[in-house]
Amino acid sequence: MSPVWQVDVITTFPESFGGFLDVSLLGKARAAGTVDVRIHNLRDWAEPPHRVTDDYAYGGGPGMVLKAEPIVAAVEELRGSDGRVVLLTPQGEPLTQARVSALAARPHVILICGRYEGVDERVRTLVVDEEISVGDYVLSGGEVAAMVVIDAAARLVPGVVGDAASLVGESHAEGRLSHPQFTRPEELRGQRVPPVLLSGHHARIERWRRAQALHRTQRRRADLLEGRELSAEERQLMAEFPPCETEAPGS
Ligand code: ADE
């Protein structure tokens, strides 16, 4: 039996997840039982008969705040002995491949989707282990952010991506961007595929790809290389293979 990654999502908009769960890698992984995603409606833990999940903010101000009691009750019911509780919020730690990888290595993750002006602070202090933001912008709720986490982590669960070798050189897997990719045709509107890729010299192609990955990272995301010196071999590779001509100007 392949390992199972279990995710419980607590949300006030369960319908947001329709479609997303059923397609592509995630759909297949769920069908195979490798990844188990359960979507829960927060209202199920809210006080009957009205099952209200939000309320006005103490101290005044616009907008509503998600109440603490239903979230705490949901987490306490779902967490079990091994649940890692994550709150999706624009105030969280930025999501990186390293964080994704750490979550994929946990057997059981509980994702709480924030909404409105925020979540009662006591949710954080009482049940949350980790707060994650998917970027410095504000979404209307944590649902899309939860999908980002699930999508990025599920593909790292062993058995989900059929050919695990394809995870090795991809962008962010090794703290740098990936190299440019080409497929047919060999020439498009005057732009040719770099000849080395047609040469059949596998070692040379590998060296070209590493050089392009480094050029691209240096040009686009120099921050990823900060705190790490390029080795003499990497500098030599970059000198031997200049940036690929199809690199967009100014990038
Ligand atoms: N909820 C609203 N905005 C968010 C963000 N940027 N990341 C995670 N959750 C959010």
Side-chain angles (χ1 to χ4, degrees), residues 69-204:
E69 301 103 303
I71 301 181
V72 169
V75 169
E76 286 177 344
E77 187 176 328
L78 299 170
R79 181 167 45 191
S81 58
D82 58 359
R84 176 80 176 167
V85 182
V86 177
L87 174 67
L88 283 318
T89 159
Q91 301 176 9
E93 295 286 330
L95 186 64
T96 57
Q97 192 67 17
R99 280 207 172 86
V100 167
S101 195
L103 287 175
R106 299 247 172 200
H108 183 195
V109 175
I110 291 132
L111 300 176
I112 305 170
C113 302
R115 271 271 152 186
Y116 313 112
E117 287 309 299
V119 172
D120 187 308
E121 189 65 19
R122 289 162 294 185
V123 168
R124 298 190 157 91
T125 48
L126 290 172
V127 291
V128 167
D129 297 316
E130 185 174 343
E131 298 179 39
I132 287 181
S133 164
V134 295
D136 290 344
Y137 41 79
V138 179
L139 302 165
S140 11
E143 286 73 13
V144 171
M147 290 185 232
V148 170
V149 170
I150 295 169
D151 189 284
R155 54 197 298 288
L156 301 184
V157 173
V160 170
V161 170
D163 178 8
S166 71
L167 299 175
V168 173
E170 66 184 9
S171 292
H172 301 294
E174 289 147 39
R176 57 173 160 72
L177 304 183
S178 181
H179 54 79
Q181 298 277 16
F182 296 87
T183 184
R184 289 187 289 182
E186 268 183 50
E187 191 248 294
L188 179 67
R189 300 187 184 188
Q191 300 219 352
R192 299 201 70 83
V193 173
V196 58
L197 297 179
L198 311 174
S199 68
H201 292 127
H202 296 297
R204 192 168 165 78

